[in-house]
Amino acid sequence: MSMDRPGGRRALLSILLSVGVAKCALPRISIGDRDGVQVFLLGQTPVYLMGANYVVKAAPYLPPLDVVRADAQMFAQNAARMSYSPPYGGLPVVPVVRLGCIFEAAMPERGQGIDASWAARLEETVEAFGDAGVYVFLDNHQDALSASNGGEGLPYWMAAELQSRNPHEPFTISPSRPLEMVGGFFHRFLLRLLGIQDIQTIGWDDDPWGPFAHDNTDGDDPNLVNLGNPSVRLNNNDDAWHEGRILFTKQCNNLARRFFLAPFGSEEDMALLFTPFIDYIVHLSGVWERHTNVVAIDLFNEPPFWGLPSLFTFVLFSRRALFAWYGAVLDALEERGVRAPVAYEDIMGSFTYVLSLAGVPFSADFRLRRWARRKQLVLSFHHYRGTRSVSYTHLRAHETDS
């Protein structure tokens, strides 16, 4: 998370951790200005938020409550004991977790709203962290978009419905629509130069895409294709996951294109892909309202690029479309009366020079600035080493140029 500076230090943390906390008893952390820089404030004191991701990417999506309580106590105790002194004037450290909220868990069935069981467990989880004195970012977490292409995040029924409408365009995995890289030999050659391998299959399996396939007749749940199909697992674990291999598949690119263009597309796509997402974020904003230890809502973890095999669309359009989508999301949240701060991420959750050649649309920039002026906006980013990121110095220069 990006927030900067000035002074204070450590007694605040011990006060924080010693409070006997009932539900929502922690003071709310807000966003404010100090010396021309936006900072997180606890009361009038700038604080430094430090913690970790706390994400379960498949069922049960949230750990059992006794595990959460033990982990929350561990976070708080370790924060109190640590000798680390943060930069920017030694601000008081406040423990925080980035709590994974998975859209597919929140809305497992189309048209049924928020799943009551998941919602209840989310409330308990947030409260357990608050009881230990730990703050929370509600992180709408996804990786490679959806189980339908080997990732996790968007509900499977979104891709399934798109598949039924577009039978000749792959959105799901099956023997007739194998998990497959976009483009032809040239694109795959470029990917190999970047260290990204082609899609692999289990060598001994004569039907690698059959298990858990979309519309299979064996009783396998296609929602679990990302976990249950051995060939999919060959492409979404360990080194293959690090490569981001499944991001370059036809299924992922097709779903990303429809999802991020949904606010500007057909009424059917709006109803299928955009409105349920807004309902989900509005629900998370209700969690923020009920629990003062929730700092903000991260709208979309590591938004994927899309547009391949067209390099023009990939480089110059997918990022602009992402920010146009952010503008539509912010408008929809305003219409629903959302007061919670939200965090946004650039494409892939980082600052990649090549993909930054495409600027932010004026309309989206206007909306982001409006939310920032209201102290409702946080820039969230992942600092990856190498070509997927830039240094903080370059980031500030990029910010000035913008």
Side-chain angles (χ1 to χ4, degrees), residues 200-241:
Q200 308 294 311
T201 58
I202 299 293
W204 45 259
D205 194 341
D206 59 359
D207 184 24
W209 306 116
F212 296 86
H214 185 65
D215 295 335
N216 76 84
T217 58
D218 299 325
D220 295 338
D221 183 356
N223 288 276
L224 302 177
V225 67
N226 58 338
L227 300 173
N229 182 290
S231 288
V232 173
R233 293 292 292 129
L234 196 61
N235 295 281
N236 71 1
N237 76 95
D238 302 328
D239 286 343
W241 189 260

Side-chain angles (χ1 to χ4, degrees), residues 112-393:
Q112 301 301 308
I114 300 294
D115 181 75
S117 174
W118 176 84
R121 289 187 295 118
L122 178 61
E123 298 277 343
E124 292 176 342
T125 299
V126 171
E127 186 172 350
F129 277 112
D131 288 346
V134 177
Y135 284 82
V136 170
F137 277 82
L138 297 178
D139 162 33
N140 171 41
H141 202 92
Q142 65 81 41
D143 296 282
L145 217 55
S146 176
S148 58
N149 55 257
E152 101 283 334
L154 302 187
Y156 187 92
W157 48 261
M158 290 183 168
E161 176 62 22
L162 289 172
Q163 191 64 77
S164 69
R165 295 182 192 171
N166 306 271
H168 303 298
E169 194 175 5
F171 290 92
T172 59
I173 299 170
S174 69
S176 61
R177 291 179 294 274
L179 191 64
E180 187 177 7
M181 290 291 206
V182 296
F185 173 81
F186 173 71
H187 297 88
R188 297 179 193 200
F189 176 74
L190 288 179
L191 292 176
R192 288 295 295 272
L193 291 179
L194 295 172
I196 300 167
Q197 304 298 311
D198 204 348
I199 295 297
Q200 308 294 311
T201 58
I202 299 293
W204 45 259
D205 194 341
D206 59 359
D207 184 24
W209 306 116
F212 296 86
H214 185 65
D215 295 335
N216 76 84
T217 58
D218 299 325
D220 295 338
D221 183 356
N223 288 276
L224 302 177
V225 67
N226 58 338
L227 300 173
N229 182 290
S231 288
V232 173
R233 293 292 292 129
L234 196 61
N235 295 281
N236 71 1
N237 76 95
D238 302 328
D239 286 343
W241 189 260
H242 178 72
E243 290 173 17
R245 189 180 301 169
I246 55 177
L247 289 168
F248 296 92
T249 60
K250 293 178 179 179
Q251 285 86 344
C252 188
N253 271 253
N254 289 338
L255 180 56
R257 171 174 52 85
R258 294 292 284 268
F259 182 79
F260 289 112
L261 294 181
F264 322 104
S266 68
E267 291 183 5
E268 290 85 357
D269 278 7
M270 185 85 163
L272 175 68
L273 304 171
F274 188 72
T275 302
F277 177 80
I278 297 301
D279 291 342
Y280 162 57
I281 298 299
V282 169
H283 176 82
L284 295 184
S285 77
V287 180
W288 177 87
E289 295 277 0
R290 291 186 291 276
H291 297 271
T292 54
N293 65 314
V294 177
V295 180
I297 301 162
D298 197 334
L299 291 175
F300 212 91
N301 176 66
E302 297 185 348
F305 50 77
W306 53 273
L308 292 171
S310 167
L311 295 177
F312 176 85
T313 303
F314 173 77
V315 173
L316 296 179
F317 186 71
S318 63
R319 182 175 185 260
R320 289 185 62 83
L322 168 66
F323 277 89
W325 178 83
Y326 276 134
V329 168
L330 295 180
D331 278 350
L333 296 180
E334 281 190 352
E335 290 174 7
R336 300 284 289 273
V338 168
R339 302 189 307 137
V342 298
Y344 74 101
E345 302 185 23
D346 208 328
I347 204 156
M348 294 305 297
S350 192
F351 299 98
T352 306
Y353 273 140
V354 172
L355 296 179
S356 296
L357 293 176
V360 175
F362 174 80
S363 59
D365 181 73
F366 174 79
R367 286 158 176 79
L368 290 167
R369 290 177 185 274
R370 184 169 66 202
W371 278 64
R373 285 193 297 270
R374 295 201 306 249
K375 311 306 182 192
Q376 275 186 276
L377 194 67
V378 177
L379 172 62
S380 176
F381 63 94
H382 300 64
H383 181 66
Y384 291 122
R385 298 178 64 184
T387 57
R388 288 187 293 172
S389 188
V390 298
S391 71
Y392 183 72
T393 301

